[in-house]
Amino acid sequence: MHMTFYTYDYLHDSQSNWQYGRIAIISVLAVVFILFLIHYLRNRMDIKYKDLSIIVATILLLVLAVQYNDFSAIQSSSKQTGQITQTVKQVAKRLDVRPKTISVNSTNVNANLMVKTPQGFFRVDYNSAGTEFVLERVELDESSDIKVEGAQ
């Protein structure tokens, strides 16, 4: 049986790193658009800056549309990752270990959540409302292939 576990640092770092890249691209495109537009307004006879402004504005609008389209997916993903990191913190507190020593087998909260800790493996059983959980120690087969994503 193959299982992949994700460290607390992996979950925490994956929340927002790539979003900074999108913000940087949008910012650069906005600055380039403004510069071309200012240059065109100063020299109305130089049509190439008008055309470049239109091209950059179109690309900027396209990137903004993609960003807006992905916004709800990003928000949902961030919320789920935030929930799983909170679960890791709560498990660490209950077991009196540091969150960085814990790995989970999912990047979102689900019914089959397993936790790898220095004290062993645990299954997280949530109540019907999903607000509270209990930890149940489990034993895995020696033949289980455990892979851990992220530095530990």
Side-chain angles (χ1 to χ4, degrees):
M1 176 169 76
H2 175 74
M3 295 183 77
T4 302
F5 284 82
Y6 305 94
T7 64
Y8 175 78
D9 288 335
Y10 178 87
L11 295 169
H12 193 265
D13 292 343
S14 68
Q15 273 183 330
S16 61
N17 285 346
W18 64 274
Q19 293 175 9
Y20 293 124
R22 283 187 172 183
I23 292 170
I25 290 170
I26 290 171
S27 300
V28 167
L29 284 172
V31 168
V32 169
F33 170 70
I34 291 170
L35 291 174
F36 282 147
L37 188 61
I38 289 171
H39 198 317
Y40 167 70
L41 292 175
R42 285 188 181 166
N43 305 316
R44 291 195 186 259
M45 293 298 180
D46 201 354
I47 300 296
K48 70 178 176 184
Y49 289 106
K50 176 183 175 185
D51 295 341
L52 288 172
S53 296
I54 292 170
I55 291 169
V56 172
T58 304
I59 293 171
L60 179 61
L61 288 174
L62 180 65
V63 170
L64 286 172
V66 169
Q67 179 70 21
Y68 180 77
N69 189 30
D70 289 346
F71 181 71
S72 61
I74 292 167
Q75 197 172 25
S76 174
S77 175
S78 293
K79 182 178 178 183
Q80 288 178 348
T81 304
Q83 288 173 338
I84 196 72
T85 55
Q86 286 302 318
T87 300
V88 169
K89 287 179 185 178
Q90 291 173 356
V91 168
K93 186 175 181 181
R94 287 186 188 184
L95 296 176
D96 196 30
V97 295
R98 293 186 351 245
K100 293 182 183 237
T101 62
I102 295 178
S103 303
V104 292
N105 71 333
S106 178
T107 57
N108 56 17
V109 177
N110 60 40
N112 298 320
L113 189 64
M114 298 267 303
V115 180
K116 178 181 178 289
T117 71
Q119 299 173 2
F121 292 91
F122 292 87
R123 185 167 58 108
V124 180
D125 288 325
Y126 288 94
N127 65 1
S128 59
T131 56
E132 295 292 324
F133 64 87
V134 294
L135 294 174
E136 177 184 356
R137 184 181 291 272
V138 294
E139 296 293 326
L140 297 179
D141 293 337
E142 292 178 11
S143 63
S144 296
D145 180 26
I146 308 284
K147 179 181 174 188
V148 179
E149 290 285 332
Q152 197 169 22

